């Protein structure tokens, strides 16, 4: 009987420690990466404001095991993409789109996390556009859910990896490479 009691107490203590640790995790996070692409803002706007194009260049592809559906307008504010895999189901909604910036929201199923995305386009240097892609996430301030905090922590790593992979694909298609000068 004492072994069972000790085991139950140990499990209860571990659960309490895990719950307390969850409240030390941050309630928000930000990821930002930059790429230089040999494309005009107009070309990139057409690519980014149309959710049906995202599987062609983002980390979320059929080859990676994702399935897609689309709703709303084809492009621009209100255009939506839904995707599913074994690990995650999510929805992307374009909220603003112009040649300087594309804003979108990401909603992950069964997550209280609110994720805002911004893709800022800067073409101040001729022949290429700098893409600054930022994702910001916040848990509701009244969130008392320790599992939501762990989920937010692990989703940050998922989205960081997805963002970097997507930028690598974009750079492969639209990469900006300076020509090397010949040595004399």
């Amino acid at each position: 009987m004492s072994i069972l009691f000790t085991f139950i107490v140990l499990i209860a203590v571990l659960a309490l420690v895990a719950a307390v640790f969850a409240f030390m995790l941050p309630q928000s996070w930000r990821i930002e990466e930059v790429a230089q692409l040999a494309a005009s803002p107009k070309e990139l706007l057409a690519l980014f404001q149309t959710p049906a194009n995202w599987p062609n260049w983002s980390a979320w592809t059929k080859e990676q095991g994702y399935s897609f559906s689309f709703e709303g307008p084809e492009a621009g504010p209100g255009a939506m993409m839904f995707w599913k895999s074994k690990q995650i189901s999510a929805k992307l909604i374009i909220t603003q789109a112009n040649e300087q910036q594309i804003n979108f929201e990401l909603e992950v199923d069964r997550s209280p996390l609110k994720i805002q995305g911004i893709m800022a386009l800067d073409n101040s240097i001729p022949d290429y556009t700098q893409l600054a892609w930022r994702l910001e996430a916040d848990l509701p301030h009244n969130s008392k859910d320790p599992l939501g905090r762990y989920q937010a922590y692990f989703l940050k790593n998922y989205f960081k990896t997805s963002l970097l992979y997507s930028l690598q694909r974009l750079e492969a298609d639209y990469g900006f490479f300076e020509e090397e000068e010949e040595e004399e």
Side-chain angles (χ1 to χ4, degrees):
M1 187 70 163
S2 67
I3 292 175
L4 180 60
F5 178 74
T6 304
F7 180 73
I8 291 171
V9 168
L10 180 62
I11 295 296
V13 167
L14 288 175
L16 181 62
V17 168
V20 169
F21 181 73
F23 287 100
M24 291 190 275
L25 293 172
Q27 278 192 258
S28 62
W29 49 258
R30 176 188 280 191
I31 303 166
E32 187 167 282
E33 296 293 333
V34 176
Q36 297 174 8
L37 307 173
S40 71
K42 189 174 186 172
E43 289 175 88
L44 295 175
L45 173 63
L47 189 67
F48 298 149
Q49 76 169 342
T50 308
N53 289 334
W54 284 55
N56 298 328
W57 60 266
S58 74
W60 307 303
T61 66
K62 289 180 182 174
E63 293 81 21
Q64 297 290 332
Y66 293 91
S67 62
F68 303 93
S69 63
F70 306 92
E71 288 183 14
E74 182 179 322
M80 292 182 269
M81 175 175 78
F82 299 83
W83 75 94
K84 289 175 101 170
S85 73
K86 290 179 183 176
Q87 296 84 17
I88 194 167
S89 296
K91 173 171 75 170
L92 177 138
I93 306 164
I94 304 293
T95 57
Q96 175 188 341
N98 59 51
E99 288 186 23
Q100 289 79 40
Q101 186 167 303
I102 295 89
N103 293 2
F104 58 92
E105 295 176 359
L106 287 168
E107 297 176 9
V108 178
D109 283 355
R110 298 180 305 277
S111 173
L113 201 61
K114 302 296 179 199
I115 304 170
Q116 302 292 317
I118 298 171
M119 302 171 91
L121 305 173
D122 176 10
N123 69 335
S124 58
I125 298 175
D127 301 326
Y128 78 94
T129 301
Q130 180 173 294
L131 166 62
W133 188 351
R134 181 172 62 226
L135 293 174
E136 296 178 336
D138 287 304
L139 279 170
H141 291 294
N142 61 353
S143 178
K144 305 279 189 239
D145 176 16
L147 293 178
R149 288 181 181 245
Y150 279 111
Q151 185 184 41
Y153 177 77
F154 289 111
L155 280 175
K156 177 182 180 184
N157 294 327
Y158 168 82
F159 280 108
K160 172 82 170 179
T161 302
S162 296
L163 191 147
L164 290 171
Y165 182 81
S166 298
L167 288 177
Q168 288 173 350
R169 290 189 71 189
L170 284 167
E171 286 178 331
D173 291 341
Y174 300 95
F176 177 74
F177 305 99
E178 292 184 29
E179 292 182 27
E180 293 183 22
E181 293 182 21
E182 292 182 26
E183 293 184 25
E184 291 182 28

